[in-house]
Amino acid sequence: MKSLTVQFVTGRWFILFASFLIMSAAGATYMFGLYSGDIKTTLGYDQSTLNLLSFFKDCGTNVGVLSGLINELYPPWVVLAIGANSQSFANTGSLVTCVKNFPESRGAVLGVLKGYVGLSGAI
């Protein structure tokens, strides 16, 4: 029974399910339009400063060099533990793992997982 449980938890379908859960909670940066007005008024930023903040938010979200390097050296759970609330770490930890587990369907897997990130703003 123990080996069945280990096989289930480390299986590729359970990892895909766990990635759905991770990605459905990792899209706070997609909601920037909702809270950018509050940042602007609370901190006294003008629109150009808010645009600069938004640029670096997007840059940090999409350029996950550090998380990619960590993912090459350690298992995905380490990447997710280090960057517990970072979208680039969540992307790297779940997307790379699912692409490695489903190489024949990587386009569909990436599309569905990135769709969950978009839905996470609504969740």
Side-chain angles (χ1 to χ4, degrees):
M1 186 67 172
K2 182 179 178 183
S3 65
L4 178 65
T5 305
V6 170
Q7 183 178 0
F8 176 74
V9 172
T10 59
R12 68 184 195 160
W13 291 102
F14 183 77
I15 292 173
L16 181 65
F17 172 71
S19 295
F20 286 152
L21 295 178
I22 291 167
M23 297 307 269
S24 67
T29 59
Y30 280 69
M31 299 182 347
F32 186 74
L34 294 175
Y35 57 83
S36 63
D38 293 334
I39 291 173
K40 190 175 180 180
T41 57
T42 304
L43 299 175
Y45 289 168
D46 60 348
Q47 188 60 43
S48 64
T49 307
L50 193 64
N51 290 343
L52 185 66
L53 180 68
S54 176
F55 168 76
F56 283 110
K57 170 201 62 88
D58 291 337
C59 186
T61 298
N62 295 315
V63 180
V65 175
L66 182 61
S67 60
L69 291 173
I70 293 170
N71 194 50
E72 287 295 318
L73 299 173
Y74 298 103
W77 64 268
V78 174
V79 175
L80 294 170
I82 291 173
N85 201 18
S86 169
Q87 189 170 354
S88 66
F89 279 81
N91 281 339
T92 302
S94 60
L95 292 176
V96 171
T97 304
C98 286
V99 166
K100 287 181 180 178
N101 285 337
F102 297 94
E104 68 281 353
S105 304
R106 65 179 175 256
V109 168
L110 288 174
V112 171
L113 285 172
K114 290 304 280 184
Y116 269 87
V117 173
L119 286 174
S120 71
I123 294 172

